[in-house]
Amino acid sequence: MKTKYSLMAAVVLLSAPLHAQETYQDTKVVENELNGTARYVGMGGAMEALGADLSTISSNPAGIGLFRSSQFAVSGGLVSQQGETTSPSGNGISASIKGNKTNASFDQVGFVYAVRNGRNSYLNFAFNYHKSRNFDQILTAVNTLSNASQNKLTSAKYPYASEYSWNGVDANYASLMAPIKDASGKQVGLDYLDGSAYVFGQYQKGYIGEYDFNLSGNIKNRVFLGLTFGLHDVNYRSNSYYTEDLEQGVTSEAWEDLRINGSGFDMKLGAIFRPIETSPFRIGLYVNTPTWYDLNVTGYSDITMTDAGGSVDKGQEATYDYKVYTPWKFGVSVGHTVGKQLALGATYEYADYGTIDNRVNDGGYYDYWSGGYYENSYSDNDMNDHTKATLKGVSTLKLGLEYKILDNWAVRLGYNYLSPMYNKDGYRDGSISSPGSAYATSTDYTNWQSTNRLTCGFGYSMKNFYFDMAYQYTQTNGEFYPFMSYYADNDNAAASNIADAVSVSNKRHQLLLTLGYRF
């Protein structure tokens, strides 16, 4: 029989480190957004065979080899989210999440320096920065609960604490819940309270900046080759709030302040060739290595339980270093031009995100010969197995066209489709024997579905200057869960802990402007 919480009683504060790599957290550093120059975005990014745009440096570096003059470009604009609210409420619970739905964004700056070293031969050098991931997003969810709660999940694991590594959520709840003891006085569990409703709100912000350095050229104006070395800079911020109405007039509130910082590097290799000498039709092939990330997570989590008699809370703060290696990416593209008026492009990319490698840092050593410090790490096999079961291969289709209505005016259209990254039955498992589960500070997760993007734009050139503008609409629907559900081993339905999915959607509008100069 459940007993009421003694909220004003003294509690033992448990000290434990927090945070690590985890499947759903890994997807934050996956860079699958469409961003760059306004021309590239306006054509849906389908320029990996057409080339001659700075943004192809980060997908098919051979595209830089098609430049026949030097160029400089800078891009920025506005990004706005549709439909979410910063003050979600429902089922008698209210919450306020501080966040901006519309934000200015600096998206790209770069140049290419074209060097002619023969009649039809060029050797090009290029640098480009672009925002490969924009984290700005508000996510809210409201739903009822029946025989379920976040603290019930903790109580189910507590009797077997020796088999699990407690995470921040469990440690906080364990210090706030009343113990259950057997006849001998031995503690055998924790008394939980079922919930009747919850509200969740999260504001994410930040970005991943990619700095690409390129060397490219051509062979007889029919084969173009390119190599890009990329550096990635991760800056992620998240503030979330989760509250439940519990039985016996108790309310629980959980706050999480999470930050991910770090860097990574990768390489891209690409080729474009014209199979028929007299035709402008071309084929592009490229491969991108994994991005080898070295990351740090810092954060603070706090849980408060409140009833008519008062409230008591538990908070923890910590930092953790880890590594994540993203999957290989492969692409094939075709492009064709009709006279000087029409350009058509199509690209297909594939990356298997189930092969993400979560790695645990294992100390390091100093190499006296080279004078450098090197850090060892090893694969987190248990979490990698969960990643393989939860994430899957993603196919990306890009289609785009450009039509010149006048010699110096062009209009563009584009479309993207990304297949789902998450298995629909995937879940965030807090019981995995892994640092990623043991140091987690939240329990929520979202299984996002396919992504659709529609783009359009126009361009205007005047002598050596050009001006491009693009609009992009992106929509991804998903299913939100406040915590991992489980079914009881017996026929007692009340012993299960089931939270139904809530349909959520991320709808984003982007307005992008590029200013460029050819020299």
Side-chain angles (χ1 to χ4, degrees), residues 39 42-43 341-343 400-406 408-414 456-460 468-469:
R39 183 180 181 226
M43 292 185 66
Q341 285 74 41
L342 180 64
L401 68 85
E402 177 183 67
Y403 181 74
K404 287 190 175 182
I405 54 178
L406 296 171
N408 58 347
W409 282 95
V411 294
R412 300 160 186 139
L413 293 173
C456 63
F458 68 88
Y460 173 75
D468 295 316
M469 182 168 283

Side-chain angles (χ1 to χ4, degrees), residues 385-398:
D385 288 341
H386 178 261
T387 300
K388 185 176 181 180
T390 304
L391 306 182
K392 54 186 179 179
V394 172
S395 295
T396 301
L397 176 65
K398 306 177 184 180

Side-chain angles (χ1 to χ4, degrees), residues 150 200 202 240 256 428 442-446 480-483:
Q150 191 182 61
F200 173 84
Q202 180 186 45
S240 62
E256 182 188 44
R428 186 177 182 181
S442 57
T443 60
D444 61 277
Y445 64 96
T446 304
F480 171 87
Y481 297 86
F483 46 77

